[in-house]
Amino acid sequence: MPSKDVDYSCYLVTDSTPAILGDKDLVAVVKAAVEGGATIVQYRDKTSETAELVQVAKQLHQITKRAGVPLLINDRVDVALAAGVEGVHVGQDDLDLKTTRRILGPDAIIGITANTLEEALEAARDGADYLGIGTVYATPTKENTKSIIGAAGVQQILTALASAGHDEVKTVAIGGINARNVQRIMYQCASPEKKLDGVAVVSAIMASDDPKDATQHLCKLISQPPPFVTPVSRGKLTRDELVAKAPVIVKRMAQAKPLCHNMTNLVVQNFAANVALAVGSSPIMSNNGLEAADLAALGGSLVINMGTTTPEMRENHLRALAAYNAVGSPTLLDPVGAGATAHRREGVKALMAGGFFDVIKGNEGEIRTVSGAQGVKQHGVDSGASQLSLEDRIRLVKGTAARERNIILMTGSTDVISDGERTFTINNGHPYLGEITGSGCTLGTTIASMMAAEREDKLLAALTGILMYEIAAERAGVREEVKGPGTFVPAFIDELYRIRQECVNNETRWAQTAKVDLV
Ligand SMILES: *[C@@H]1O[C@H](CO)[C@@H](O)[C@H](O)[C@H]1NC(C)=O
Ligand SMILES: CC(=O)N[C@H]1CO[C@H](CO)[C@@H](O)[C@@H]1O
């Protein structure tokens, strides 16, 4: 077969260890996977003797050749030659690429593992056909956690390859990839300049009771964008369009009364529920991850508030997140106090590695933690009180949103929000919001409610939520009976309710007071 015309999309790496393979037969599993649609197979066996490796490789090759699927051998150039397969995959500690190429010739497929920018660029220069980039996430098959780079790390490598002009080199991501996360990983790894050509999986197929079915399912997922990606391209958005559309979205939301599923342990119960009701969504509080799938099916949105997260809670959060991601319903993360303790930083990292959030909202310290939670470079992890300039805040928010391919909102006296392409600052609100508990959390609820009603342009939905919330606060703050934070709360709830009613009655003037700038 012409070796350089290779489909890397659904790449199986074998594993013969009992912990993964169980009592299944390796050759039978590979046969099933190839029938299920695996497009390329790497035989990886770090323990068997050479003679056995060659013998198994030959057996596997009979299967793959018939299906027109290339077979590569991990590390062992001699075994690849002896079995006459299509190529090898080498690690950084194996035989070097140039020597491997000299031995196997120009037609052989040669891939190499790349964990860093330097390794990737060097391998591309040295003529690798493809790079196995990772480790994306922790995996049961590899112990070395130091090599974990997350989707953000993969993206950084793809960007660097593209800027160095290495468009030709193919790329697959590897490490902890399974049916639950494969679509998100492909989506979040992609840089504007270069996308992944595929993903490599080990346990998701090798450990499955039905490897054919598992492969079919994975290959199908790989070929489709994740459900939470909106098909419409993100159009441009001006302040005037926003002011015109916001009341329409609030009205739509008020009429649909979408469910707002909040997973939180707030001490501000009453206030949170009252805000949701005033805004017009239908609050439901369930911290039980098991019922999340049922709730997700109802078309509402999910708010995860990290206030007091415990390890058991995290399992529930991840389960709920997976359920909402699976149907493409909106999700919002409020990483309360994210930078405060190592435990919370760990929590943010685990949530971001465990699913997709359409919006991550937080104050400066929280968003700085989020920006450092993943990736090759760990910048700005500490939540010091360092005051960033507005320009720095804008850069941070925009860069993090572009990297995560979602929406980042940094709240403050000037809010900054971006989807990586469009960035806005908002200067509405009232100082009393900072004097009451739960105002950050309930802003999250308001935004999530709008996102359930406006599914196409998520940034527009989020902006609508912020405006409704902050303009209600402004109107409450100037009411005659409001003398301080205590009297502010009921007035604020009234104003949220009034704005909703105005929208239902087609009165749109409230939105004119938006202090929003496209930056
Ligand atoms: C608001 O506008 C819609 C469509 O333009 C109209 O059908 C509806 O009757 C209006 N509602 C009110 C309360 O004026
Ligand atoms: C808006 C809303 O539904 N808030 C709820 C979130 O969860 C807490 C309990 O953890 C409830 O008390 C709130 O009412």
Side-chain angles (χ1 to χ4, degrees), residues 219-491:
C219 295
K220 184 161 166 254
L221 291 172
I222 288 167
S223 69
Q224 297 167 346
F228 50 76
V229 173
T230 42
V232 292
S233 65
R234 299 186 269 196
K236 67 173 185 39
L237 183 63
T238 63
R239 180 192 176 276
D240 289 348
E241 282 164 341
L242 171 63
V243 168
K245 285 178 178 166
V248 180
I249 294 173
V250 175
K251 179 175 177 175
R252 208 187 305 148
M253 195 270 314
Q255 286 169 342
K257 283 207 169 299
L259 208 64
C260 187
H261 177 182
N262 98 82
M263 298 188 93
T264 160
N265 288 307
L266 286 183
V267 268
V268 285
Q269 288 208 350
N270 238 344
F271 181 44
N274 282 336
V275 165
L277 287 171
V279 163
S281 67
S282 164
I284 178 158
M285 133 68 197
S286 165
N287 282 332
N288 182 351
L290 291 174
E291 72 182 17
D294 290 341
L295 293 173
L298 299 176
S301 47
L302 174 71
V303 178
I304 293 184
N305 182 305
M306 279 215 346
T308 51
T309 162
T310 61
E312 313 84 76
M313 245 346 264
R314 194 179 299 162
E315 258 326 295
N316 278 320
H317 287 160
L318 288 172
R319 225 176 268 140
L321 183 57
Y324 278 77
N325 282 175
V327 295
S329 285
T331 53
L332 180 143
L333 174 66
D334 194 345
V336 181
T341 64
H343 174 72
R344 287 190 185 203
R345 273 196 295 277
E346 200 44 50
V348 176
K349 215 165 152 175
L351 284 172
M352 288 173 68
F356 181 78
F357 288 101
D358 292 292
V359 179
I360 303 181
K361 74 156 273 287
N363 59 28
E364 183 179 313
E366 289 158 358
I367 294 302
R368 290 182 72 185
T369 302
V370 162
S371 81
Q374 266 199 335
V376 176
K377 278 192 207 142
Q378 298 279 317
H379 40 79
V381 181
D382 29 318
S383 69
S386 111
Q387 285 296 104
L388 296 176
S389 67
L390 182 61
E391 286 69 38
D392 285 342
R393 280 157 37 90
I394 289 171
R395 205 172 310 123
L396 180 70
V397 167
K398 190 173 175 192
T400 308
R403 186 191 75 190
E404 296 298 316
R405 303 194 70 194
N406 66 358
I407 293 170
I408 302 287
L409 164 61
M410 187 192 279
T411 56
S413 57
T414 296
D415 304 310
V416 182
I417 187 168
S418 177
D419 65 3
E421 290 168 22
R422 301 169 295 175
T423 307
F424 287 88
T425 54
I426 305 138
N427 279 295
N428 291 98
H430 192 278
Y432 285 157
L433 280 176
E435 304 286 330
I436 58 174
T437 48
S439 61
C441 307
T442 49
L443 171 60
T445 309
T446 308
I447 293 171
S449 304
M450 300 308 158
M451 294 183 77
E454 166 55 48
R455 296 275 182 137
E456 296 207 336
D457 190 341
K458 294 174 183 179
L459 183 67
L460 171 62
L463 280 161
T464 300
I466 300 167
L467 288 183
M468 180 185 192
Y469 195 85
E470 296 190 347
I471 290 174
E474 281 173 7
R475 292 185 2 177
V478 298
R479 271 164 60 156
E480 214 176 309
E481 77 274 19
V482 172
K483 308 274 188 263
T487 39
F488 171 74
V489 172

Side-chain angles (χ1 to χ4, degrees), residues 251 255 501-507:
K251 179 175 177 175
Q255 286 169 342
Q501 290 309 108
E502 287 166 24
C503 293
V504 168
N505 295 324
N506 303 337
E507 287 166 31

Side-chain angles (χ1 to χ4, degrees), residues 190-212:
S191 100
E193 295 84 27
K194 192 166 171 64
K195 293 179 174 47
L196 285 172
D197 296 288
V199 294
V201 296
V202 189
S203 330
I205 292 175
M206 298 307 297
S208 162
D209 293 334
D210 188 342
K212 181 177 170 182

Side-chain angles (χ1 to χ4, degrees), residues 78-127:
D78 56 338
V79 174
L81 277 173
V85 302
E86 284 73 26
V88 291
H89 180 91
V90 291
Q92 288 291 329
D93 301 330
D94 300 336
L95 193 59
D96 71 278
L97 204 61
K98 285 180 176 161
T99 311
T100 307
R101 176 66 73 199
R102 216 175 306 128
I103 298 172
L104 292 180
D107 292 342
I109 303 170
I110 303 179
I112 185 163
T113 306
N115 183 226
T116 64
L117 290 181
E118 294 71 29
E119 288 174 0
L121 291 171
E122 188 186 341
R125 266 198 309 273
D126 290 350

